[in-house]
Amino acid sequence: MSTRLKADQKGKVGKRKQNSEEKSDVEFGVKKSRVPQNYDIAGNHLSFASSSSQGLAQSTNLSKMSPKNYETILRQFVQWTQAAEPVAVNFLAKANWNIEYAMTLYFDNPNLFSGSAAQPSVDVSKNERFFNQYIHKEDGLGDKRIGPNGVQQLLGDLGYQPTDRRVLILAWKCNAQTQCEFSLKEWLEGMTTLHADSVQTLRQRIDSLDAELNSDKSKFRELYLFAFSYGKAAASRSLDLETSILYWDVLFGNNRSTLMSQWIDFLREQERQAVARLALDVGQANAAKMKHVWITRDTWNLFWDFIVLSRADLSDYDDEGAWPVLIDQFVDHCRSSLNYPTPQPAGQPMEQRSYY
């Protein structure tokens, strides 16, 4: 009797569990079905193992929702992302088989369908061959370092100009120490971080990161801080003015904001005045050969906060804050020469003036 009651209870529990699962599927608009095994793509048989953590693609997605060329799209997605095949089908199905949107989804959240076990694998030997494509004997750096000629070839393959921000992103993700060079160790670490092992996957991942920087201030700041160490000479503790301007243009784009343009004009004027003063002692030609305005690491780092977080009219600038002297001087210049509003003593309203 006892055994029969247990059997009845077990059956009821199982039925409630089944009904709950069916209800859950209806609520989320998902109909579970097993993916067909071993279907062929260009002569290759693909095997999809059933797994709750992988969230296998439904057969309805393959038969009804996918385009006629789904085999080609799936093969390209797997090739470019190195994702497991069932994970690839899920991302493509979610993106309505738009491969560009699917790859964006994948790189933004590779664990969406597959849990922590589905990180893209990176073939080290393949990345070493990828690296060796850009070794040039004329660079004279041996077979473990890509030099300027190799970098030029790589940028040509990627379709990037040397001053493109995406080139700096590549150096950042490789944690490169020398401009226009990559060691094998830097390259392998970078490709592992980017989950790339070909020109196609590398370009796709860098392009995705470049787009993220426009909205993700924390990532943008990481790249910005990296640029200082990457851009300065090894023996120098600061960046010279022209190199600083070059990197600001790379980071923020050539379409400078009003405040950025005024900052650069201010620095160039500081340089001109320094040359004029020194010319009285050593002559104009000799004075012009020297670099007079240098951007220290402190000034470089805090300028990001200044240019990104400050109000356009600098009305929120804290004169008592721990800003570098050069930025303090620039703010004073904006108020005295460019008609920016001047803060009033406590209890008095700030005068309203236009600096446009």
Side-chain angles (χ1 to χ4, degrees):
M1 184 68 177
S2 169
T3 304
R4 183 176 179 181
L5 286 173
K6 288 182 179 180
D8 289 342
Q9 290 172 351
K10 184 177 181 180
K12 290 178 181 179
V13 171
K15 187 173 182 179
R16 284 198 302 271
K17 183 178 180 181
Q18 180 181 359
N19 290 339
S20 176
E21 289 177 349
E22 290 176 353
K23 181 178 180 181
S24 177
D25 288 344
V26 171
E27 288 175 347
F28 290 97
V30 177
K31 183 177 181 181
K32 293 183 179 179
S33 59
R34 186 176 296 276
V35 176
Q37 303 293 313
N38 300 323
Y39 62 84
D40 188 297
I41 294 183
N44 297 318
H45 293 279
L46 303 180
S47 176
F48 285 63
S50 177
S51 169
S52 60
S53 66
Q54 289 179 327
L56 295 180
Q58 294 73 27
S59 59
T60 52
N61 286 336
L62 292 173
S63 62
K64 295 181 180 180
M65 298 175 63
S66 57
K68 293 181 179 180
N69 63 335
Y70 79 88
E71 296 178 347
T72 301
I73 295 175
L74 177 59
R75 183 172 66 250
Q76 290 176 342
F77 186 95
V78 170
Q79 177 184 353
W80 291 349
T81 64
Q82 299 297 308
E85 295 151 355
V87 175
V89 174
N90 272 288
F91 277 99
L92 287 165
K94 186 173 181 63
N96 198 25
W97 291 86
N98 181 315
I99 190 169
E100 293 182 358
Y101 178 42
M103 286 195 294
T104 298
L105 288 175
Y106 177 81
F107 285 118
D108 285 345
N109 188 1
N111 298 326
L112 182 61
F113 293 109
S114 52
S116 60
Q119 289 291 341
S121 60
V122 176
D123 187 333
V124 174
S125 61
K126 187 174 182 180
N127 265 321
E128 287 180 347
R129 293 193 296 271
F130 186 21
F131 176 86
N132 290 335
Q133 294 178 36
Y134 301 103
I135 296 295
H136 285 249
K137 292 182 179 180
E138 54 266 38
D139 285 326
L141 298 175
D143 59 357
K144 299 295 183 182
R145 181 172 289 273
I146 296 173
N149 288 288
V151 170
Q152 183 178 7
Q153 179 189 344
L154 173 62
L155 298 189
D157 292 345
L158 290 169
Y160 297 160
Q161 295 297 318
T163 56
D164 195 312
R165 186 170 71 176
R166 292 171 294 183
V167 179
L168 186 60
I169 291 173
L170 173 59
W172 169 43
K173 286 304 176 181
C174 290
N175 195 25
Q177 301 300 304
T178 305
Q179 296 183 64
C180 296
E181 292 184 17
F182 294 102
S183 69
L184 177 59
K185 181 178 181 292
E186 292 169 347
W187 181 265
L188 293 178
E189 289 181 355
M191 295 307 104
T192 299
T193 300
L194 292 166
H195 305 303
D197 56 17
S198 68
V199 168
Q200 288 178 321
T201 55
L202 181 57
R203 180 172 57 239
Q204 196 282 331
R205 188 64 182 118
I206 291 175
D207 289 354
S208 178
L209 279 171
D210 186 49
E212 288 179 28
L213 294 179
N214 296 324
S215 58
D216 192 328
K217 286 186 171 63
S218 63
K219 283 186 179 179
F220 180 40
R221 191 171 190 275
E222 287 181 33
L223 175 64
Y224 180 86
L225 298 182
F226 166 80
F228 180 87
S229 297
Y230 183 68
K232 73 179 184 65
S236 177
R237 300 180 61 183
S238 302
L239 282 175
D240 66 83
L241 178 58
E242 291 306 319
T243 301
S244 298
I245 293 172
L246 171 64
Y247 275 94
W248 280 323
D249 282 342
V250 168
L251 287 158
F252 293 99
N254 290 322
N255 296 323
R256 302 170 183 164
S257 66
T258 299
L259 192 61
M260 175 70 82
S261 294
Q262 290 168 342
W263 164 254
I264 291 174
D265 289 344
F266 167 77
L267 294 179
R268 290 194 186 281
E269 178 60 20
Q270 294 294 304
E271 181 81 6
R272 188 194 66 77
Q273 291 179 10
V275 170
R277 289 193 297 269
L278 189 60
L280 298 176
D281 297 324
V282 301
Q284 181 69 27
N286 290 327
K289 294 177 182 179
M290 301 180 185
K291 299 179 185 298
H292 304 275
V293 175
W294 293 84
I295 305 300
T296 65
R297 184 183 294 274
D298 186 49
T299 300
W300 177 270
N301 291 351
L302 288 176
F303 180 72
W304 185 91
D305 299 274
F306 175 77
I307 200 68
V308 172
L309 304 179
S310 295
R311 292 177 183 171
D313 64 355
L314 301 180
S315 59
D316 60 342
Y317 187 79
D318 183 4
D319 293 314
E320 302 301 322
W323 293 102
V325 172
L326 197 58
I327 294 180
D328 280 337
Q329 291 174 341
F330 171 65
V331 173
D332 290 342
H333 163 74
C334 289
R335 291 169 179 170
S336 62
S337 302
L338 301 178
N339 206 29
Y340 274 59
T342 301
Q344 299 297 309
Q348 297 185 25
M350 181 181 294
E351 60 179 317
Q352 299 297 319
R353 296 191 294 177
S354 172
Y355 57 89
Y356 293 102

